[in-house]
Amino acid sequence: MSRPEQIGTGVPAVSLQVSASAPATQAALGGRSNPFLLMPITLFFLLLSFDVLRAPTLITSAGIGSAIIVATPLVLATYALMAVVIAGRGTVDLSVGPLIGFINVTMIQLHGAGVLNNPFAVIGYAVFIGALYQFLFALIVIYVRVQPIIVSLSGYLAMSGINLVILPRPGGMAPDWMASWGLGTTIFSPVLLILLLASLAWILFTQTAFYTHLRLMGSDERAAYTSGVPIYLVRIGAHLISGCYAGLASICFTALISSGDPSQGTTYTLIAVTALVLGGASLAGGRGGVFGSFLGAVNLYLITYGLATFSFGSVQSFVTSLAYGTILVLSLLLTLLIPFIQRHVRNFSPLLYFVVLSVVALGVILHAGYDYDTAASAAQALAAHPLPPIDPGRLYVGPLEVSAPSAAEAALRSVAAPIVSGLLLLVVLAVFLRVAITHSGRRSIAPAVAVVVVATVLLGAFMIRHPEGFGAAAPAAEEGSR
Amino acid sequence: MTPPSTPQLSLPARIVGLAAGLILTAIGVIYGFVQGSSVQVVILAGIATLAAFVWGWRFVLGQFVPEPGTEGEPGELRGVWRRFRGPLIGLALILLAFLVLSLTVDGFLNVWNVLSLLILLAILVLTRTIGRHFEENRSAFIGIMVLAGLFSVGSMNIDGFASTMNIKSMLLFASFLGIASVGQTLVALLGGLDLSIPFIIGAANVGLLYLIGLGVPPWLATIIVLAVGTLLGVVNGFLSFRLQGQALIVTLGTGFAISGGVQIVTSIGTAYGGNVFGTVPAWLTNLSAMNGSTLGLPFPPTIAIWAVIALILIVGMRITLYGRYLYAVGVNRTSSKRVRISELRYWVMMYAVSGFFAAMTGSLLLGWSGGGFIGVGDQYLFLTLAAVVVGGTSLLGGQGGYGFTVIGVLVLQVLSSFLIGIGLDFQWQQFIFGLLIVPMVALYARSPHIRTQI
């Protein structure tokens, strides 16, 4: 008779045992939790809420679509930098911008000469040239044994020179099939596909032993060498990956501007390095991830977008520049607080933090999307007075330029908004489930409970405002906008 | 500058060397007169050849390395091949390139180009053979060799390359770059980087003219600009000291902020974003214009200022306590902390100096151009870095000095002047700069193999 009881109590007993051995497993899991993601996540949601409140058009099909189109080249350039930065030795590839420019101008010129037309040929060409350059880079670093930053400086100067020789001034035509890519009116575009595939590829890559070797080499090259990691091979591999990302970035960049532009080199180098650091990577090597880099690049886009909603007149680009520098320095200074936070919060989970903040941001988005009567008038005002043109001299702002939404886009927006927010909710739910599963083995499940409570409260608040639910909320919002 | 064991040549060997050098110089001088070059060109080229040859002779004979291809024994030949595989392949490649060029380009095969090729080969051979005997100042040696080679090749091939006017203009532009690289050198000695230099240059350039336009006396305006530049440097120093390893990006951020802020201040109420108009005082123009004069002597005072700065820095870092401590912090911060050197103090001080000299470059550039423009410093973003690197200061800290940077600046300037002389555009120059940095650095700054570091 006592056996069923034992079995019945066995479950808590097992869980107690698990929690008793929790410190060990937590220590093991500690490597996975990355406190350096704290800053980009916080900044992301702050900027997102701010931008949505300033200009709700961001959360529309057109808004997100143009955001994807504009931000993707930067995101991919940041990935390209990340792959080599993780490899260590201070490999900050200053030449990534000119490399993107080089692939861009040669592609445009070859297309103009009638050589490159086929999509596969173009993409293959871009990736091949990127990988080839980075392969040479790796060979120089390995066999000539010069500091990588000097090699990249050399590449920067050489390629920004040769780009101007190949294409003296912006011009040329991108292939016809690419023309529709850069419109940015819908969320689902080939550019998004490239971005998703690229991110997925990196995430899959992190599951391999090669990635472990790469991180080991980045943190301590001598330790890697003595423990038998083939460091030359690993370094070449990292550079090849970086080159592929640079090629993809160049394709998205070409789609964005639909032409050739030789002078974007400095711009992309500087903003990609900035994005990388904002994303929590260490320029010294060994630390960096696709999630942080993505957030870093998107944060830069959001900064420019937010500033573009103000009308500063002729000093617009200067204000952008000022805000840009200040936010960069401030967010770097805030990373100094991380050790203090780490002292009190043992097991920081960036995923959970992201979920909690995204629920809050979702509330803000819903508020901006449905509650603002002024939102529509603000959108109309924006449509009537297009955003002030950005001085082309301030080149690093150029690629982040925002298009003014038209009336058709605004209408599309009100149709798509509930779908988007519904999707976001689904994503949040999925993420929450994931968190719940990963936290099931731990002692404390309190954060997950907090998330449930917050989500329920928010959903309840929403339901009270719109008793009809999601489907009926859309026409109401549409009426409000008319 | 001498290696630990200076090879002692026997007297006959020295005489033979001197004679060979003299003969070589004489050949050059005769060719110069035959070609109808100006006397200055011939004399300068002659002196350069003689100096390079005699210097090389003194060191090359002591550690005489068997020249490839002179031995008859097949076994020896194979040994030589094994030892000098790289240089031999390089030699063959250079000769091949020369052959292809002379077959394809009309009139390429003249005596000057052959001489240039010989000088190039001599530099390469000398740096390969002698350079490795220098432990300390190899980069300076190579830099000087390259400088002498470039200068003699330039004055042989280009009319007016060695004229007073051209030398003056080369020195003037070198002074701008040199003053801008002071800060970069000092910061690099500590293991940091300062990318805010071009932005401070631009901001000082615009800000100074703006202040003068407001009616502030020019001398006061200059002092204000220099003080603000120093202050910004101090801020940079404090920020990047807390965030070491990210110094590159911190200074970039402050640079953006400074350039944006100054432009907002100066363009409020005007219609011209980024450009400021006004009159530059005569003394400032005289300071850095080509036709300026220093105490009656016909060269712009900027050159003299640069010379004084260089002298003070080179001597000061060698003999003063500040200089020695600077190196100590750069080499090993832990041990320098043990001997109670404040790292923070040196770090902030060097960034302050960097800000000061960047502001100074901006002010001097205002005198040169006569109009304020925020983008005036843009080319210095990576050029200061290139000058430091080519000169031989390690970006990891602790090695190098301002003297090296002076050589680096001169090499870059002479090279750029040479490339303009043979009719290349800015973009081609940049391309060639880029291609040359890696081989030049590779001549002296190769890091050891990883298996030797364990």
Side-chain angles (χ1 to χ4, degrees), chain A residues 143-145 154 156 158 161 222 225 232 315 318 321-322 325, chain B residues 243 249 253 256-257 263 267 382 427 431 434 446-447 449 453-454:
Chain A
Y143 291 107
V144 185
R145 300 200 294 272
S154 171
Y156 173 91
R222 278 177 275 184
Y225 182 73
Y232 289 171
V315 292
F318 310 147
S321 162
L322 177 68
Chain B
L243 292 159
I249 203 75
F256 280 150
Q263 274 177 301
S267 63
F382 290 125
Q427 48 261 40
F431 177 63
R446 293 181 61 183
S447 45
H449 193 278
Q453 296 177 10
I454 295 163

PDB file of all heavy atoms in Angstrom, chain A residues 143-145 154 156 158 161 222 225 232 315 318 321-322 325, chain B residues 243 249 253 256-257 263 267 382 427 431 434 446-447 449 453-454:
ATOM      1  N   TYR A 143      49.854  33.709 -42.455  1.00  0.00           N
ATOM      2  CA  TYR A 143      51.208  33.409 -42.904  1.00  0.00           C
ATOM      3  C   TYR A 143      52.137  34.607 -42.864  1.00  0.00           C
ATOM      4  O   TYR A 143      53.329  34.447 -42.613  1.00  0.00           O
ATOM      5  CB  TYR A 143      51.169  32.785 -44.303  1.00  0.00           C
ATOM      6  CG  TYR A 143      50.571  31.416 -44.252  1.00  0.00           C
ATOM      7  CD1 TYR A 143      49.308  31.166 -44.740  1.00  0.00           C
ATOM      8  CD2 TYR A 143      51.254  30.375 -43.627  1.00  0.00           C
ATOM      9  CE1 TYR A 143      48.736  29.906 -44.646  1.00  0.00           C
ATOM     10  CE2 TYR A 143      50.699  29.127 -43.527  1.00  0.00           C
ATOM     11  CZ  TYR A 143      49.439  28.896 -44.034  1.00  0.00           C
ATOM     12  OH  TYR A 143      48.902  27.653 -43.917  1.00  0.00           O
ATOM     13  N   VAL A 144      51.635  35.802 -43.134  1.00  0.00           N
ATOM     14  CA  VAL A 144      52.524  36.969 -43.018  1.00  0.00           C
ATOM     15  C   VAL A 144      52.608  37.407 -41.562  1.00  0.00           C
ATOM     16  O   VAL A 144      53.572  38.036 -41.154  1.00  0.00           O
ATOM     17  CB  VAL A 144      52.021  38.107 -43.940  1.00  0.00           C
ATOM     18  CG1 VAL A 144      52.962  39.273 -43.932  1.00  0.00           C
ATOM     19  CG2 VAL A 144      51.865  37.604 -45.351  1.00  0.00           C
ATOM     20  N   ARG A 145      51.571  37.072 -40.780  1.00  0.00           N
ATOM     21  CA  ARG A 145      51.531  37.343 -39.352  1.00  0.00           C
ATOM     22  C   ARG A 145      51.634  38.837 -39.040  1.00  0.00           C
ATOM     23  O   ARG A 145      52.403  39.259 -38.185  1.00  0.00           O
ATOM     24  CB  ARG A 145      52.622  36.570 -38.613  1.00  0.00           C
ATOM     25  CG  ARG A 145      52.504  35.072 -38.764  1.00  0.00           C
ATOM     26  CD  ARG A 145      53.259  34.347 -37.689  1.00  0.00           C
ATOM     27  NE  ARG A 145      54.695  34.539 -37.783  1.00  0.00           N
ATOM     28  CZ  ARG A 145      55.491  33.781 -38.513  1.00  0.00           C
ATOM     29  NH1 ARG A 145      54.996  32.791 -39.214  1.00  0.00           N
ATOM     30  NH2 ARG A 145      56.788  34.010 -38.546  1.00  0.00           N
ATOM     31  N   SER A 154      44.600  48.360 -44.519  1.00  0.00           N
ATOM     32  CA  SER A 154      45.142  48.312 -45.867  1.00  0.00           C
ATOM     33  C   SER A 154      44.052  48.000 -46.880  1.00  0.00           C
ATOM     34  O   SER A 154      43.922  48.658 -47.915  1.00  0.00           O
ATOM     35  CB  SER A 154      46.224  47.248 -45.853  1.00  0.00           C
ATOM     36  OG  SER A 154      46.670  46.977 -47.092  1.00  0.00           O
ATOM     37  N   TYR A 156      40.922  48.497 -46.481  1.00  0.00           N
ATOM     38  CA  TYR A 156      39.988  49.632 -46.508  1.00  0.00           C
ATOM     39  C   TYR A 156      40.461  50.674 -47.508  1.00  0.00           C
ATOM     40  O   TYR A 156      39.706  51.110 -48.378  1.00  0.00           O
ATOM     41  CB  TYR A 156      39.897  50.237 -45.107  1.00  0.00           C
ATOM     42  CG  TYR A 156      39.088  51.505 -45.045  1.00  0.00           C
ATOM     43  CD1 TYR A 156      37.731  51.461 -44.785  1.00  0.00           C
ATOM     44  CD2 TYR A 156      39.679  52.741 -45.249  1.00  0.00           C
ATOM     45  CE1 TYR A 156      36.983  52.608 -44.745  1.00  0.00           C
ATOM     46  CE2 TYR A 156      38.939  53.895 -45.220  1.00  0.00           C
ATOM     47  CZ  TYR A 156      37.594  53.825 -44.963  1.00  0.00           C
ATOM     48  OH  TYR A 156      36.864  54.967 -44.925  1.00  0.00           O
ATOM     49  N   ALA A 158      42.727  50.403 -49.936  1.00  0.00           N
ATOM     50  CA  ALA A 158      42.844  49.905 -51.306  1.00  0.00           C
ATOM     51  C   ALA A 158      41.480  49.810 -51.966  1.00  0.00           C
ATOM     52  O   ALA A 158      41.287  50.246 -53.100  1.00  0.00           O
ATOM     53  CB  ALA A 158      43.526  48.548 -51.295  1.00  0.00           C
ATOM     54  N   GLY A 161      39.707  53.066 -52.726  1.00  0.00           N
ATOM     55  CA  GLY A 161      40.296  53.670 -53.909  1.00  0.00           C
ATOM     56  C   GLY A 161      39.805  53.015 -55.188  1.00  0.00           C
ATOM     57  O   GLY A 161      39.335  53.682 -56.096  1.00  0.00           O
ATOM     58  N   ARG A 222      46.273  30.765 -27.565  1.00  0.00           N
ATOM     59  CA  ARG A 222      47.319  29.824 -27.174  1.00  0.00           C
ATOM     60  C   ARG A 222      46.717  28.563 -26.581  1.00  0.00           C
ATOM     61  O   ARG A 222      47.158  27.446 -26.866  1.00  0.00           O
ATOM     62  CB  ARG A 222      48.258  30.483 -26.171  1.00  0.00           C
ATOM     63  CG  ARG A 222      49.288  31.323 -26.849  1.00  0.00           C
ATOM     64  CD  ARG A 222      50.150  32.014 -25.861  1.00  0.00           C
ATOM     65  NE  ARG A 222      49.546  33.251 -25.417  1.00  0.00           N
ATOM     66  CZ  ARG A 222      50.131  34.114 -24.601  1.00  0.00           C
ATOM     67  NH1 ARG A 222      51.320  33.853 -24.128  1.00  0.00           N
ATOM     68  NH2 ARG A 222      49.544  35.212 -24.261  1.00  0.00           N
ATOM     69  N   TYR A 225      45.461  26.458 -29.309  1.00  0.00           N
ATOM     70  CA  TYR A 225      46.544  25.802 -30.041  1.00  0.00           C
ATOM     71  C   TYR A 225      47.065  24.607 -29.269  1.00  0.00           C
ATOM     72  O   TYR A 225      47.269  23.518 -29.815  1.00  0.00           O
ATOM     73  CB  TYR A 225      47.653  26.804 -30.304  1.00  0.00           C
ATOM     74  CG  TYR A 225      48.806  26.253 -31.093  1.00  0.00           C
ATOM     75  CD1 TYR A 225      48.672  25.994 -32.448  1.00  0.00           C
ATOM     76  CD2 TYR A 225      50.027  26.004 -30.483  1.00  0.00           C
ATOM     77  CE1 TYR A 225      49.720  25.498 -33.174  1.00  0.00           C
ATOM     78  CE2 TYR A 225      51.091  25.496 -31.198  1.00  0.00           C
ATOM     79  CZ  TYR A 225      50.931  25.252 -32.550  1.00  0.00           C
ATOM     80  OH  TYR A 225      51.969  24.750 -33.271  1.00  0.00           O
ATOM     81  N   TYR A 232      44.573  27.424 -37.694  1.00  0.00           N
ATOM     82  CA  TYR A 232      44.616  28.025 -39.021  1.00  0.00           C
ATOM     83  C   TYR A 232      43.311  27.762 -39.769  1.00  0.00           C
ATOM     84  O   TYR A 232      42.720  28.642 -40.382  1.00  0.00           O
ATOM     85  CB  TYR A 232      45.788  27.464 -39.834  1.00  0.00           C
ATOM     86  CG  TYR A 232      47.131  27.918 -39.358  1.00  0.00           C
ATOM     87  CD1 TYR A 232      48.291  27.365 -39.860  1.00  0.00           C
ATOM     88  CD2 TYR A 232      47.232  28.925 -38.407  1.00  0.00           C
ATOM     89  CE1 TYR A 232      49.524  27.794 -39.428  1.00  0.00           C
ATOM     90  CE2 TYR A 232      48.459  29.354 -37.965  1.00  0.00           C
ATOM     91  CZ  TYR A 232      49.605  28.786 -38.472  1.00  0.00           C
ATOM     92  OH  TYR A 232      50.820  29.214 -38.051  1.00  0.00           O
ATOM     93  N   VAL A 315      19.384  71.502 -39.399  1.00  0.00           N
ATOM     94  CA  VAL A 315      20.366  70.874 -38.514  1.00  0.00           C
ATOM     95  C   VAL A 315      20.022  69.416 -38.248  1.00  0.00           C
ATOM     96  O   VAL A 315      20.604  68.782 -37.381  1.00  0.00           O
ATOM     97  CB  VAL A 315      20.494  71.627 -37.165  1.00  0.00           C
ATOM     98  CG1 VAL A 315      21.111  72.980 -37.388  1.00  0.00           C
ATOM     99  CG2 VAL A 315      19.175  71.750 -36.478  1.00  0.00           C
ATOM    100  N   PHE A 318      22.848  66.995 -38.137  1.00  0.00           N
ATOM    101  CA  PHE A 318      23.763  67.248 -37.024  1.00  0.00           C
ATOM    102  C   PHE A 318      23.191  66.686 -35.732  1.00  0.00           C
ATOM    103  O   PHE A 318      23.910  66.106 -34.917  1.00  0.00           O
ATOM    104  CB  PHE A 318      24.010  68.744 -36.858  1.00  0.00           C
ATOM    105  CG  PHE A 318      24.399  69.430 -38.132  1.00  0.00           C
ATOM    106  CD1 PHE A 318      24.032  70.735 -38.372  1.00  0.00           C
ATOM    107  CD2 PHE A 318      25.129  68.760 -39.093  1.00  0.00           C
ATOM    108  CE1 PHE A 318      24.380  71.358 -39.537  1.00  0.00           C
ATOM    109  CE2 PHE A 318      25.485  69.375 -40.266  1.00  0.00           C
ATOM    110  CZ  PHE A 318      25.109  70.677 -40.494  1.00  0.00           C
ATOM    111  N   SER A 321      23.645  63.070 -35.746  1.00  0.00           N
ATOM    112  CA  SER A 321      25.025  62.738 -35.432  1.00  0.00           C
ATOM    113  C   SER A 321      25.292  62.853 -33.938  1.00  0.00           C
ATOM    114  O   SER A 321      25.914  61.983 -33.324  1.00  0.00           O
ATOM    115  CB  SER A 321      25.918  63.662 -36.248  1.00  0.00           C
ATOM    116  OG  SER A 321      27.195  63.699 -35.746  1.00  0.00           O
ATOM    117  N   LEU A 322      24.762  63.925 -33.348  1.00  0.00           N
ATOM    118  CA  LEU A 322      24.973  64.149 -31.914  1.00  0.00           C
ATOM    119  C   LEU A 322      24.320  63.035 -31.100  1.00  0.00           C
ATOM    120  O   LEU A 322      24.941  62.427 -30.219  1.00  0.00           O
ATOM    121  CB  LEU A 322      24.388  65.517 -31.527  1.00  0.00           C
ATOM    122  CG  LEU A 322      24.454  65.901 -30.062  1.00  0.00           C
ATOM    123  CD1 LEU A 322      25.879  66.116 -29.654  1.00  0.00           C
ATOM    124  CD2 LEU A 322      23.657  67.169 -29.814  1.00  0.00           C
ATOM    125  N   GLY A 325      26.161  59.648 -31.437  1.00  0.00           N
ATOM    126  CA  GLY A 325      27.371  59.529 -30.627  1.00  0.00           C
ATOM    127  C   GLY A 325      27.047  59.407 -29.161  1.00  0.00           C
ATOM    128  O   GLY A 325      27.614  58.588 -28.441  1.00  0.00           O
TER     129      GLY A 325
ATOM    130  N   LEU B 243      36.516  52.027 -20.407  1.00  0.00           N
ATOM    131  CA  LEU B 243      36.069  51.057 -21.416  1.00  0.00           C
ATOM    132  C   LEU B 243      37.243  50.653 -22.290  1.00  0.00           C
ATOM    133  O   LEU B 243      37.203  50.808 -23.498  1.00  0.00           O
ATOM    134  CB  LEU B 243      34.976  51.675 -22.277  1.00  0.00           C
ATOM    135  CG  LEU B 243      33.660  51.937 -21.593  1.00  0.00           C
ATOM    136  CD1 LEU B 243      32.868  52.957 -22.346  1.00  0.00           C
ATOM    137  CD2 LEU B 243      32.881  50.646 -21.491  1.00  0.00           C
ATOM    138  N   ILE B 249      35.717  52.444 -30.401  1.00  0.00           N
ATOM    139  CA  ILE B 249      34.325  52.788 -30.640  1.00  0.00           C
ATOM    140  C   ILE B 249      33.891  53.941 -29.744  1.00  0.00           C
ATOM    141  O   ILE B 249      33.068  54.763 -30.137  1.00  0.00           O
ATOM    142  CB  ILE B 249      33.460  51.525 -30.453  1.00  0.00           C
ATOM    143  CG1 ILE B 249      32.166  51.672 -31.211  1.00  0.00           C
ATOM    144  CG2 ILE B 249      33.201  51.199 -29.039  1.00  0.00           C
ATOM    145  CD1 ILE B 249      32.362  51.500 -32.663  1.00  0.00           C
ATOM    146  N   GLY B 253      32.333  57.400 -31.064  1.00  0.00           N
ATOM    147  CA  GLY B 253      31.068  57.952 -30.579  1.00  0.00           C
ATOM    148  C   GLY B 253      31.216  59.397 -30.149  1.00  0.00           C
ATOM    149  O   GLY B 253      30.421  60.258 -30.545  1.00  0.00           O
ATOM    150  N   PHE B 256      31.492  61.602 -33.187  1.00  0.00           N
ATOM    151  CA  PHE B 256      30.197  61.918 -33.797  1.00  0.00           C
ATOM    152  C   PHE B 256      29.508  63.020 -33.016  1.00  0.00           C
ATOM    153  O   PHE B 256      28.992  63.986 -33.584  1.00  0.00           O
ATOM    154  CB  PHE B 256      29.291  60.676 -33.785  1.00  0.00           C
ATOM    155  CG  PHE B 256      29.582  59.695 -34.869  1.00  0.00           C
ATOM    156  CD1 PHE B 256      29.351  58.345 -34.680  1.00  0.00           C
ATOM    157  CD2 PHE B 256      30.062  60.112 -36.095  1.00  0.00           C
ATOM    158  CE1 PHE B 256      29.610  57.430 -35.670  1.00  0.00           C
ATOM    159  CE2 PHE B 256      30.311  59.210 -37.100  1.00  0.00           C
ATOM    160  CZ  PHE B 256      30.091  57.858 -36.873  1.00  0.00           C
ATOM    161  N   ALA B 257      29.489  62.849 -31.690  1.00  0.00           N
ATOM    162  CA  ALA B 257      28.767  63.802 -30.851  1.00  0.00           C
ATOM    163  C   ALA B 257      29.387  65.193 -30.971  1.00  0.00           C
ATOM    164  O   ALA B 257      28.668  66.192 -31.112  1.00  0.00           O
ATOM    165  CB  ALA B 257      28.780  63.329 -29.408  1.00  0.00           C
ATOM    166  N   GLN B 263      28.363  71.593 -34.986  1.00  0.00           N
ATOM    167  CA  GLN B 263      27.628  72.067 -36.160  1.00  0.00           C
ATOM    168  C   GLN B 263      26.284  72.649 -35.779  1.00  0.00           C
ATOM    169  O   GLN B 263      25.841  73.626 -36.373  1.00  0.00           O
ATOM    170  CB  GLN B 263      27.438  70.917 -37.133  1.00  0.00           C
ATOM    171  CG  GLN B 263      28.610  70.770 -38.046  1.00  0.00           C
ATOM    172  CD  GLN B 263      28.432  69.584 -38.934  1.00  0.00           C
ATOM    173  OE1 GLN B 263      28.284  68.472 -38.458  1.00  0.00           O
ATOM    174  NE2 GLN B 263      28.412  69.829 -40.205  1.00  0.00           N
ATOM    175  N   SER B 267      25.525  76.440 -36.790  1.00  0.00           N
ATOM    176  CA  SER B 267      24.612  76.666 -37.909  1.00  0.00           C
ATOM    177  C   SER B 267      23.239  77.136 -37.454  1.00  0.00           C
ATOM    178  O   SER B 267      22.348  77.267 -38.283  1.00  0.00           O
ATOM    179  CB  SER B 267      24.471  75.406 -38.745  1.00  0.00           C
ATOM    180  OG  SER B 267      23.910  74.389 -37.970  1.00  0.00           O
ATOM    181  N   PHE B 382      41.802  57.661 -41.126  1.00  0.00           N
ATOM    182  CA  PHE B 382      42.666  56.488 -41.175  1.00  0.00           C
ATOM    183  C   PHE B 382      44.098  56.829 -41.574  1.00  0.00           C
ATOM    184  O   PHE B 382      44.980  56.008 -41.445  1.00  0.00           O
ATOM    185  CB  PHE B 382      42.086  55.442 -42.124  1.00  0.00           C
ATOM    186  CG  PHE B 382      40.853  54.813 -41.591  1.00  0.00           C
ATOM    187  CD1 PHE B 382      39.689  54.808 -42.308  1.00  0.00           C
ATOM    188  CD2 PHE B 382      40.852  54.237 -40.331  1.00  0.00           C
ATOM    189  CE1 PHE B 382      38.537  54.225 -41.793  1.00  0.00           C
ATOM    190  CE2 PHE B 382      39.716  53.666 -39.805  1.00  0.00           C
ATOM    191  CZ  PHE B 382      38.556  53.664 -40.539  1.00  0.00           C
ATOM    192  N   GLN B 427      42.011  58.454 -56.115  1.00  0.00           N
ATOM    193  CA  GLN B 427      41.552  57.100 -55.810  1.00  0.00           C
ATOM    194  C   GLN B 427      42.636  56.065 -56.077  1.00  0.00           C
ATOM    195  O   GLN B 427      42.780  55.103 -55.324  1.00  0.00           O
ATOM    196  CB  GLN B 427      40.265  56.752 -56.564  1.00  0.00           C
ATOM    197  CG  GLN B 427      40.260  57.060 -58.023  1.00  0.00           C
ATOM    198  CD  GLN B 427      39.547  58.372 -58.246  1.00  0.00           C
ATOM    199  OE1 GLN B 427      39.707  59.306 -57.474  1.00  0.00           O
ATOM    200  NE2 GLN B 427      38.752  58.461 -59.290  1.00  0.00           N
ATOM    201  N   PHE B 431      44.410  53.534 -53.420  1.00  0.00           N
ATOM    202  CA  PHE B 431      44.548  52.117 -53.725  1.00  0.00           C
ATOM    203  C   PHE B 431      45.982  51.654 -53.478  1.00  0.00           C
ATOM    204  O   PHE B 431      46.237  50.645 -52.805  1.00  0.00           O
ATOM    205  CB  PHE B 431      44.149  51.896 -55.190  1.00  0.00           C
ATOM    206  CG  PHE B 431      44.307  50.492 -55.663  1.00  0.00           C
ATOM    207  CD1 PHE B 431      43.579  49.476 -55.098  1.00  0.00           C
ATOM    208  CD2 PHE B 431      45.180  50.191 -56.687  1.00  0.00           C
ATOM    209  CE1 PHE B 431      43.712  48.185 -55.534  1.00  0.00           C
ATOM    210  CE2 PHE B 431      45.319  48.893 -57.129  1.00  0.00           C
ATOM    211  CZ  PHE B 431      44.592  47.894 -56.544  1.00  0.00           C
ATOM    212  N   GLY B 434      46.958  51.586 -49.866  1.00  0.00           N
ATOM    213  CA  GLY B 434      46.423  50.392 -49.234  1.00  0.00           C
ATOM    214  C   GLY B 434      47.275  49.174 -49.519  1.00  0.00           C
ATOM    215  O   GLY B 434      47.598  48.405 -48.627  1.00  0.00           O
ATOM    216  N   ARG B 446      56.350  41.670 -38.050  1.00  0.00           N
ATOM    217  CA  ARG B 446      55.700  40.372 -38.040  1.00  0.00           C
ATOM    218  C   ARG B 446      55.717  39.820 -36.634  1.00  0.00           C
ATOM    219  O   ARG B 446      56.739  39.834 -35.953  1.00  0.00           O
ATOM    220  CB  ARG B 446      56.426  39.424 -38.982  1.00  0.00           C
ATOM    221  CG  ARG B 446      56.288  39.826 -40.425  1.00  0.00           C
ATOM    222  CD  ARG B 446      56.978  38.870 -41.324  1.00  0.00           C
ATOM    223  NE  ARG B 446      56.404  37.528 -41.208  1.00  0.00           N
ATOM    224  CZ  ARG B 446      56.886  36.494 -41.861  1.00  0.00           C
ATOM    225  NH1 ARG B 446      57.937  36.624 -42.636  1.00  0.00           N
ATOM    226  NH2 ARG B 446      56.338  35.323 -41.738  1.00  0.00           N
ATOM    227  N   SER B 447      54.567  39.334 -36.206  1.00  0.00           N
ATOM    228  CA  SER B 447      54.545  38.751 -34.863  1.00  0.00           C
ATOM    229  C   SER B 447      55.089  37.330 -34.947  1.00  0.00           C
ATOM    230  O   SER B 447      55.029  36.702 -36.000  1.00  0.00           O
ATOM    231  CB  SER B 447      53.119  38.758 -34.324  1.00  0.00           C
ATOM    232  OG  SER B 447      52.226  38.319 -35.307  1.00  0.00           O
ATOM    233  N   HIS B 449      55.578  33.250 -34.466  1.00  0.00           N
ATOM    234  CA  HIS B 449      54.646  32.133 -34.633  1.00  0.00           C
ATOM    235  C   HIS B 449      54.059  31.749 -33.286  1.00  0.00           C
ATOM    236  O   HIS B 449      54.707  31.895 -32.258  1.00  0.00           O
ATOM    237  CB  HIS B 449      55.388  30.942 -35.249  1.00  0.00           C
ATOM    238  CG  HIS B 449      54.465  29.870 -35.731  1.00  0.00           C
ATOM    239  ND1 HIS B 449      53.941  28.932 -34.896  1.00  0.00           N
ATOM    240  CD2 HIS B 449      53.964  29.612 -36.954  1.00  0.00           C
ATOM    241  CE1 HIS B 449      53.157  28.123 -35.591  1.00  0.00           C
ATOM    242  NE2 HIS B 449      53.154  28.518 -36.843  1.00  0.00           N
ATOM    243  N   GLN B 453      55.063  31.303 -28.679  1.00  0.00           N
ATOM    244  CA  GLN B 453      54.491  32.172 -27.642  1.00  0.00           C
ATOM    245  C   GLN B 453      53.991  31.399 -26.438  1.00  0.00           C
ATOM    246  O   GLN B 453      53.428  31.979 -25.516  1.00  0.00           O
ATOM    247  CB  GLN B 453      53.305  32.961 -28.220  1.00  0.00           C
ATOM    248  CG  GLN B 453      53.705  33.919 -29.316  1.00  0.00           C
ATOM    249  CD  GLN B 453      52.497  34.613 -29.890  1.00  0.00           C
ATOM    250  OE1 GLN B 453      51.408  34.512 -29.360  1.00  0.00           O
ATOM    251  NE2 GLN B 453      52.689  35.319 -30.977  1.00  0.00           N
ATOM    252  N   ILE B 454      54.124  30.080 -26.479  1.00  0.00           N
ATOM    253  CA  ILE B 454      53.516  29.298 -25.394  1.00  0.00           C
ATOM    254  C   ILE B 454      54.480  29.166 -24.222  1.00  0.00           C
ATOM    255  O   ILE B 454      55.662  28.964 -24.441  1.00  0.00           O
ATOM    256  CB  ILE B 454      53.089  27.918 -25.929  1.00  0.00           C
ATOM    257  CG1 ILE B 454      51.987  28.126 -26.966  1.00  0.00           C
ATOM    258  CG2 ILE B 454      52.602  27.052 -24.808  1.00  0.00           C
ATOM    259  CD1 ILE B 454      51.763  26.960 -27.843  1.00  0.00           C
TER     260      ILE B 454
END
